[in-house]
Amino acid sequence: MYEKTYPSKRFRITLEFLKKHINVHERIFDLGVPNPFSKIMEEQGYSVQNTTGEDIDNDTSALKNNEYEVFTAFEIFEHLLNPYTVLQNVKADKVLISIPLRLWFSPAYRSKTDMWDRHYHEFEDWQLDWLLEKTGFKIVDRIQFTHPVKKIGIRPLLRWITPRYYLVYAERIK
Protein backbone atom coordinates (compact mmCIF):
# COMPACT_ATOMS: atom_id res chain seq x y z
CA MET A 1 0.00 0.00 0.00
CA TYR A 2 1.32 3.41 -1.04
CA GLU A 3 4.43 1.94 -2.66
CA LYS A 4 4.62 4.79 -5.18
CA THR A 5 2.77 7.66 -3.49
CA TYR A 6 2.34 8.35 0.21
CA PRO A 7 -0.66 10.63 0.90
CA SER A 8 1.11 12.96 3.35
CA LYS A 9 -1.33 15.85 2.91
CA ARG A 10 -4.42 13.66 3.34
CA PHE A 11 -2.97 11.95 6.43
CA ARG A 12 -1.94 15.29 7.96
CA ILE A 13 -5.37 16.88 7.46
CA THR A 14 -7.19 13.75 8.66
CA LEU A 15 -5.05 13.55 11.82
CA GLU A 16 -5.63 17.25 12.61
CA PHE A 17 -9.39 16.73 12.16
CA LEU A 18 -9.34 13.62 14.35
CA LYS A 19 -7.44 15.43 17.12
CA LYS A 20 -9.90 18.34 16.93
CA HIS A 21 -12.90 16.10 17.67
CA ILE A 22 -11.77 12.90 19.38
CA ASN A 23 -10.16 12.51 22.79
CA VAL A 24 -7.13 10.22 22.81
CA HIS A 25 -8.80 8.10 25.53
CA GLU A 26 -11.80 7.17 23.36
CA ARG A 27 -11.63 3.73 21.74
CA ILE A 28 -11.75 3.78 17.96
CA PHE A 29 -13.16 1.10 15.69
CA ASP A 30 -11.58 1.75 12.28
CA LEU A 31 -13.32 0.11 9.34
CA GLY A 32 -10.84 -1.76 7.21
CA VAL A 33 -7.77 -3.85 7.89
CA PRO A 34 -4.79 -2.29 9.71
CA ASN A 35 -3.25 0.31 7.43
CA PRO A 36 -0.72 3.15 7.52
CA PHE A 37 -3.24 5.63 8.94
CA SER A 38 -4.45 3.29 11.71
CA LYS A 39 -0.78 2.97 12.69
CA ILE A 40 -0.47 6.79 12.75
CA MET A 41 -3.49 6.98 15.08
CA GLU A 42 -1.89 4.42 17.40
CA GLU A 43 1.41 6.33 17.37
CA GLN A 44 -0.57 9.40 18.50
CA GLY A 45 -1.89 7.45 21.51
CA TYR A 46 -5.29 6.36 20.20
CA SER A 47 -6.58 2.86 20.91
CA VAL A 48 -7.52 1.49 17.48
CA GLN A 49 -9.16 -1.75 16.51
CA ASN A 50 -9.62 -2.69 12.85
CA THR A 51 -11.72 -5.19 10.99
CA THR A 52 -9.95 -8.38 9.95
CA GLY A 53 -10.71 -8.52 6.23
CA GLU A 54 -14.26 -9.85 6.41
CA ASP A 55 -16.72 -8.72 3.75
CA ILE A 56 -18.45 -6.01 5.78
CA ASP A 57 -21.29 -5.80 3.22
CA ASN A 58 -22.30 -9.33 4.26
CA ASP A 59 -20.99 -9.56 7.82
CA THR A 60 -21.47 -6.63 10.21
CA SER A 61 -20.85 -8.68 13.36
CA ALA A 62 -17.57 -6.85 14.06
CA LEU A 63 -19.54 -3.60 14.36
CA LYS A 64 -21.91 -5.18 16.87
CA ASN A 65 -19.48 -7.31 18.91
CA ASN A 66 -16.64 -4.86 19.65
CA GLU A 67 -16.52 -2.11 22.28
CA TYR A 68 -15.77 1.37 20.95
CA GLU A 69 -16.82 4.99 21.39
CA VAL A 70 -15.78 6.23 17.96
CA PHE A 71 -16.28 4.72 14.51
CA THR A 72 -13.94 5.74 11.68
CA ALA A 73 -14.03 4.89 7.99
CA PHE A 74 -11.32 6.61 5.98
CA GLU A 75 -11.67 5.99 2.24
CA ILE A 76 -13.72 2.82 2.76
CA PHE A 77 -17.36 3.68 2.03
CA GLU A 78 -16.77 4.06 -1.71
CA HIS A 79 -15.80 0.36 -1.80
CA LEU A 80 -18.96 -0.86 -0.07
CA LEU A 81 -22.13 -1.91 -1.85
CA ASN A 82 -24.21 -0.91 1.17
CA PRO A 83 -22.72 1.71 3.50
CA TYR A 84 -26.25 2.39 4.81
CA THR A 85 -26.36 -1.02 6.56
CA VAL A 86 -22.89 -0.46 7.98
CA LEU A 87 -23.91 2.86 9.56
CA GLN A 88 -27.11 1.30 10.91
CA ASN A 89 -24.98 -1.23 12.80
CA VAL A 90 -22.46 1.22 14.26
CA LYS A 91 -22.72 1.27 18.08
CA ALA A 92 -20.74 4.48 18.60
CA ASP A 93 -22.33 7.90 18.91
CA LYS A 94 -19.39 9.54 17.11
CA VAL A 95 -18.26 8.89 13.55
CA LEU A 96 -15.47 10.25 11.38
CA ILE A 97 -15.74 9.36 7.73
CA SER A 98 -13.77 10.46 4.71
CA ILE A 99 -14.48 9.73 1.09
CA PRO A 100 -12.84 10.60 -2.18
CA LEU A 101 -15.21 12.90 -4.00
CA ARG A 102 -16.55 12.11 -7.43
CA LEU A 103 -14.47 13.92 -10.01
CA TRP A 104 -16.44 14.96 -13.06
CA PHE A 105 -13.36 14.51 -15.24
CA SER A 106 -12.52 11.00 -14.07
CA PRO A 107 -14.38 7.68 -14.33
CA ALA A 108 -15.07 5.42 -11.35
CA TYR A 109 -11.95 3.64 -10.17
CA ARG A 110 -11.76 -0.09 -10.86
CA SER A 111 -8.72 -2.28 -10.37
CA LYS A 112 -8.61 -5.09 -12.89
CA THR A 113 -6.55 -7.32 -10.58
CA ASP A 114 -7.80 -6.66 -7.03
CA MET A 115 -11.51 -7.23 -6.27
CA TRP A 116 -11.20 -5.20 -3.03
CA ASP A 117 -9.70 -2.22 -4.82
CA ARG A 118 -12.77 -1.00 -6.66
CA HIS A 119 -15.13 1.89 -6.11
CA TYR A 120 -18.79 0.98 -6.16
CA HIS A 121 -19.84 4.48 -5.08
CA GLU A 122 -18.41 7.69 -6.46
CA PHE A 123 -19.75 10.06 -3.82
CA GLU A 124 -20.69 13.68 -3.98
CA ASP A 125 -20.68 15.48 -0.63
CA TRP A 126 -24.49 15.66 -0.42
CA GLN A 127 -24.76 11.88 -0.78
CA LEU A 128 -22.64 11.21 2.30
CA ASP A 129 -24.56 13.92 4.19
CA TRP A 130 -27.84 12.23 3.28
CA LEU A 131 -26.52 8.80 4.24
CA LEU A 132 -25.53 10.08 7.69
CA GLU A 133 -28.86 11.88 8.13
CA LYS A 134 -30.86 8.78 7.14
CA THR A 135 -28.96 6.65 9.69
CA GLY A 136 -29.54 9.05 12.59
CA PHE A 137 -26.37 11.17 12.62
CA LYS A 138 -25.99 14.95 12.59
CA ILE A 139 -22.91 16.45 10.96
CA VAL A 140 -20.99 18.63 13.42
CA ASP A 141 -18.00 19.51 11.23
CA ARG A 142 -16.83 18.91 7.66
CA ILE A 143 -13.99 19.86 5.36
CA GLN A 144 -13.09 19.34 1.73
CA PHE A 145 -9.58 19.47 0.36
CA THR A 146 -7.61 18.98 -2.84
CA HIS A 147 -5.11 16.27 -3.71
CA PRO A 148 -2.52 17.75 -6.05
CA VAL A 149 -0.32 15.43 -8.07
CA LYS A 150 3.13 16.22 -9.42
CA LYS A 151 2.36 15.64 -13.08
CA ILE A 152 1.80 17.84 -16.09
CA GLY A 153 -1.54 18.00 -17.86
CA ILE A 154 -5.14 19.15 -17.68
CA ARG A 155 -6.30 16.55 -15.11
CA PRO A 156 -3.32 17.18 -12.78
CA LEU A 157 -4.01 20.92 -13.02
CA LEU A 158 -7.67 20.36 -12.13
CA ARG A 159 -6.60 18.25 -9.10
CA TRP A 160 -4.86 21.37 -7.71
CA ILE A 161 -8.18 23.25 -7.59
CA THR A 162 -10.95 20.63 -7.42
CA PRO A 163 -11.66 19.22 -3.94
CA ARG A 164 -10.83 15.52 -3.91
CA TYR A 165 -11.62 14.48 -0.33
CA TYR A 166 -14.54 15.07 1.99
CA LEU A 167 -14.05 14.52 5.72
CA VAL A 168 -16.98 14.55 8.16
CA TYR A 169 -17.40 14.37 11.93
CA ALA A 170 -20.95 13.47 12.99
CA GLU A 171 -22.74 12.55 16.20
CA ARG A 172 -25.76 10.34 16.68
CA ILE A 173 -29.01 12.25 17.21
CA LYS A 174 -30.45 11.28 20.58
Side-chain angles (χ1 to χ4, degrees):
M1 187 181 290
Y2 306 122
E3 292 83 17
K4 296 179 184 173
T5 59
Y6 187 79
S8 300
K9 178 181 179 181
R10 177 166 53 95
F11 284 177
R12 177 181 46 78
I13 291 171
T14 303
L15 182 60
E16 290 169 2
F17 198 77
L18 176 75
K19 287 180 172 182
K20 178 179 176 182
H21 296 289
I22 304 303
N23 184 304
V24 74
H25 302 293
E26 295 177 284
R27 292 173 293 183
I28 295 174
F29 187 82
D30 185 38
L31 195 61
V33 296
N35 59 75
F37 192 73
S38 59
K39 289 179 182 31
I40 289 171
M41 290 189 290
E42 289 172 342
E43 290 168 1
Q44 294 293 313
Y46 290 96
S47 172
V48 180
Q49 183 173 1
N50 289 88
T51 50
T52 58
E54 65 271 28
D55 184 345
I56 205 75
D57 279 316
N58 292 319
D59 179 7
T60 58
S61 61
L63 296 166
K64 300 172 195 170
N65 298 332
N66 288 294
E67 295 300 321
Y68 54 98
E69 289 85 34
V70 179
F71 170 81
T72 60
F74 301 118
E75 285 80 54
I76 298 292
F77 273 23
E78 67 275 10
H79 300 276
L80 299 176
L81 298 178
N82 194 357
Y84 181 83
T85 301
V86 170
L87 280 174
Q88 282 184 311
N89 286 285
V90 167
K91 293 190 322 186
D93 290 334
K94 298 177 180 182
V95 298
L96 271 92
I97 299 169
S98 65
I99 54 168
L101 290 168
R102 179 181 174 274
L103 298 172
W104 55 270
F105 54 86
S106 185
Y109 176 72
R110 179 180 173 204
S111 170
K112 304 260 190 243
T113 57
D114 184 353
M115 291 271 309
W116 293 103
D117 193 20
R118 295 178 177 178
H119 290 187
Y120 183 77
H121 297 278
E122 292 295 323
F123 282 97
E124 295 181 40
D125 55 1
W126 70 268
Q127 292 170 301
L128 181 60
D129 294 354
W130 188 25
L131 181 63
L132 287 162
E133 177 188 317
K134 291 279 288 184
T135 54
F137 289 92
K138 179 182 181 196
I139 295 174
V140 176
D141 195 7
R142 68 186 94 197
I143 58 172
Q144 292 186 14
F145 53 97
T146 61
H147 180 69
V149 293
K150 295 176 182 167
K151 294 181 181 179
I152 297 173
I154 299 295
R155 287 175 58 173
L157 175 64
L158 290 171
R159 289 184 188 273
W160 279 90
I161 58 175
T162 303
R164 178 66 175 131
Y165 293 100
Y166 184 46
L167 181 56
V168 173
Y169 168 65
E171 294 179 352
R172 187 176 307 277
I173 300 168
K174 297 196 184 204

